[in-house]
Amino acid sequence: MNKRSYFIFIAASFALLVSSPGRLAYGLVLIIEMNLLVLASVAFANFMQRFEFGNLQNVVTLSFVVFATVLFRQILILFSPVVALTLGFVIFLPPVSVFLFGNIFAEKMPQPFDALRQSLFFSAFAFVFFFLRDLLGFGTISFPAWNGIVEARLFDSRSTAFCSLFASVPGALLLIVLCMAAFLTVQSKMNVIEKSEGEYEIG
């Protein structure tokens, strides 16, 4: 992963993960929304390149992203009005990640599945993040449902008072730092292994 990818991960994390409720149920909804918006937006941007809109292309593409977000919210209200109400303005944050992963305003439009692959990679990180916040902060694993969320309680979070910190915004920031540190450590080890294997083959 290059420096640009690190920036994307950090920016997307602060834009989407920190301000979201610390439950896996809400995280799953946001992850699904983000991936749908990435695929639809990049596909739409590629389609729009066939027309001579000039400077208006960015405006039209942005309008499509806003429309798609509002449409997703309305569908979510039909499926689970409680989840939609709880998420509130947070449901409008995934478009920030769409711009980061899709690069829909770039001069050369990426292929939809290339952008989706980047989004899915971040989604795996986001899933682990929401899973840990739910587990450590509340002692539960939750999923979205018609009347809100359903949860499986694994332990009483009151017995581990310190872990409840991860349900808060400061805890979310701390968890992002810990996850990124673990990720960078693993990647650094893998780079060393790949480099040593390459030197061995050359020798």
Side-chain angles (χ1 to χ4, degrees):
M1 183 180 291
N2 53 36
K3 292 182 178 180
R4 178 177 176 276
S5 299
Y6 290 139
F7 168 77
I8 289 177
F9 259 67
I10 294 173
S13 297
F14 280 97
L16 180 62
L17 304 183
V18 174
S19 24
S20 304
R23 289 300 189 102
L24 179 61
Y26 303 121
L28 289 174
V29 173
L30 294 174
I31 289 172
I32 292 172
E33 177 191 1
M34 182 184 67
N35 284 286
L36 289 176
L37 288 178
V38 166
L39 183 57
S41 300
V42 177
F44 181 80
N46 276 275
F47 173 76
M48 292 301 297
Q49 280 192 324
R50 302 179 181 180
F51 305 94
E52 297 296 334
F53 278 94
N55 294 332
L56 288 179
Q57 179 173 332
N58 291 346
V59 177
V60 174
T61 304
L62 178 60
S63 300
F64 173 80
V65 173
V66 174
F67 169 78
T69 303
V70 173
L71 178 62
F72 179 87
R73 181 177 181 274
Q74 294 304 117
I75 295 175
L76 179 62
I77 290 175
L78 294 176
F79 172 74
S80 181
V82 177
V83 171
L85 178 63
T86 303
L87 285 174
F89 80 95
V90 177
I91 204 168
F92 294 99
L93 294 180
V96 177
S97 299
V98 171
F99 296 135
L100 292 172
F101 293 116
N103 299 315
I104 61 176
F105 290 160
E107 294 182 0
K108 181 180 180 181
M109 290 296 144
Q111 293 300 317
F113 288 103
D114 290 339
L116 184 61
R117 183 170 59 249
Q118 297 179 47
S119 177
L120 290 174
F121 190 65
F122 175 77
S123 296
F125 171 77
F127 178 85
V128 173
F129 176 84
F130 284 115
F131 177 85
L132 290 177
R133 284 194 74 187
D134 202 348
L135 180 64
L136 298 176
F138 300 94
T140 61
I141 301 298
S142 59
F143 299 93
W146 169 258
N147 58 346
I149 63 175
V150 293
E151 59 182 31
R153 183 165 296 278
L154 302 183
F155 62 88
D156 187 356
S157 60
R158 291 174 298 181
S159 61
T160 55
F162 172 76
C163 290
S164 62
L165 169 69
F166 293 106
S168 64
V169 172
L173 291 170
L174 175 61
L175 189 57
I176 286 179
V177 172
L178 293 176
C179 288
M180 288 298 295
F183 178 80
L184 293 175
T185 301
V186 172
Q187 186 183 39
S188 176
K189 298 291 185 181
M190 293 179 63
N191 290 340
V192 171
I193 294 176
E194 291 177 357
K195 184 177 180 180
S196 63
E197 289 179 349
E199 292 177 349
Y200 177 77
E201 291 177 357
I202 295 175

